[in-house]
Amino acid sequence: MVLVVLDHDGNRLKKGSLEALTRARDLAQALGEKVAGVLLAEEKAPVEEARKYVEVLYTATLGPYTAEKWAAGVLKAAEASGAKAVVAPSSRQSRAYLGRVAYALRAGLLEDTLESRAEGGEVHATRYAYLNRVTQKVKAALPVVLTVKPNTTPLAEPLPGEAEVVALEVPQVPTVEVLERIQEEKKGVSLTEADVVVTGGRGMGSPEAFKLVEELAALLGGAVGATRAVVDAGWRPYSEQVGQTGKTVQPSLYIALGVSGAVQHLAGMNKSKFIVAVNKDPEAPIFKHADYGIVGDVHQVLPAMIEAVKKLKD
């Protein structure tokens, strides 16, 4: 079997899960195996949707997330399915628990892969390194644990039938106990899954100016991003930070507003398909990486961009 970890929001599978399914199907075809899924949940999970994408579906309700619990759940599914490979969407959570799974399975760990293939009892993959400036080719012998970088792989389509659902009995590992969770309210599309990202930098001047950033992102069906300087100033939440110490995004369109283009920020977005930059400094480093650049005051350019998008939509 090739086992896929299916991330979800409680109601629907996330986009990253559909990318991971495509990779898993390719590996399974090369290895002559079937595809199984594991759906772990705190309370509820989209079981009916998930069973349309795999041939066997393992489920478990584990309560509040901890890396230990999720590692135990994935490991139990891997053992039950006899998985030769475990494929999962790349995320902060998966980085926290899949290393434990790989260690327990004595498996190679290939993280943030751009593409992958099975050949001769090995899995070959590519990934970025050195602040996304270099593409590495890596390989590991089976068994393998592999994560899929967001926005790199076509989305899987449902299969004709519906999978058998198998409930797992996962041993409790209460080393860490969650006492309280303060949930940040999420609006719109997820930053790492967005096809359009509109990011504001320190050049926006104030937290109030981000209302226009939010408006443009909403008009384009995208997500709002922020630089580290903006997050450190308390203007925007850390969940929106793009860069080496934030999130890595790879949308079709990345709009950088008042962003200078420090190397740490570029590491999180320089593989976007198209980059549009607005900055009043013609020497700003961001222009060296932008496909389209506008030299001007972002407070004048941004409202004009919003009006132009509104006219196009009308």
Short mmCIF file of all heavy atoms in Angstrom, two decimals, residues 151 170 199-200 205 238 249 258 280:
data_model
loop_
_atom_site.label_atom_id
_atom_site.label_comp_id
_atom_site.label_asym_id
_atom_site.label_seq_id
_atom_site.Cartn_x
_atom_site.Cartn_y
_atom_site.Cartn_z
N ASN A 151 0.92 23.57 -3.90
CA ASN A 151 0.83 24.21 -5.22
C ASN A 151 1.90 23.73 -6.20
O ASN A 151 2.40 24.50 -7.02
CB ASN A 151 0.89 25.73 -5.09
CG ASN A 151 -0.22 26.30 -4.23
OD1 ASN A 151 -1.37 25.93 -4.39
ND2 ASN A 151 0.13 27.18 -3.32
N VAL A 170 -6.10 3.63 18.32
CA VAL A 170 -4.79 4.25 18.47
C VAL A 170 -4.44 4.35 19.95
O VAL A 170 -5.21 4.92 20.73
CB VAL A 170 -4.76 5.66 17.83
CG1 VAL A 170 -3.38 6.30 17.98
CG2 VAL A 170 -5.16 5.57 16.37
N THR A 199 0.45 40.57 -0.52
CA THR A 199 1.25 40.78 0.69
C THR A 199 1.58 42.25 0.87
O THR A 199 2.00 42.93 -0.07
CB THR A 199 2.56 39.97 0.61
OG1 THR A 199 2.24 38.58 0.70
CG2 THR A 199 3.51 40.31 1.74
N GLY A 200 1.40 42.71 2.09
CA GLY A 200 1.78 44.07 2.45
C GLY A 200 3.05 44.08 3.27
O GLY A 200 3.24 43.23 4.13
N GLY A 205 2.78 51.38 5.86
CA GLY A 205 2.77 52.53 6.77
C GLY A 205 2.00 52.37 8.06
O GLY A 205 2.34 52.98 9.07
N TYR A 238 0.91 36.41 13.00
CA TYR A 238 2.01 35.59 12.50
C TYR A 238 1.56 34.60 11.44
O TYR A 238 2.32 34.23 10.55
CB TYR A 238 2.68 34.84 13.66
CG TYR A 238 3.72 33.85 13.21
CD1 TYR A 238 4.95 34.28 12.71
CD2 TYR A 238 3.46 32.48 13.24
CE1 TYR A 238 5.89 33.37 12.27
CE2 TYR A 238 4.40 31.56 12.80
CZ TYR A 238 5.62 32.01 12.32
OH TYR A 238 6.55 31.11 11.87
N VAL A 249 4.95 30.12 0.14
CA VAL A 249 3.81 30.08 -0.77
C VAL A 249 4.31 29.99 -2.20
O VAL A 249 5.43 30.40 -2.51
CB VAL A 249 2.92 31.33 -0.60
CG1 VAL A 249 2.34 31.40 0.81
CG2 VAL A 249 3.69 32.61 -0.91
N GLY A 258 4.60 47.49 -1.12
CA GLY A 258 5.46 48.11 -0.13
C GLY A 258 6.43 47.13 0.50
O GLY A 258 6.82 47.29 1.66
N LYS A 280 7.94 52.42 -3.96
CA LYS A 280 8.35 53.77 -4.40
C LYS A 280 9.85 53.88 -4.64
O LYS A 280 10.31 54.84 -5.26
CB LYS A 280 7.91 54.81 -3.38
CG LYS A 280 8.57 54.70 -2.01
CD LYS A 280 8.03 55.76 -1.07
CE LYS A 280 8.68 55.66 0.31
NZ LYS A 280 8.13 56.68 1.24
#
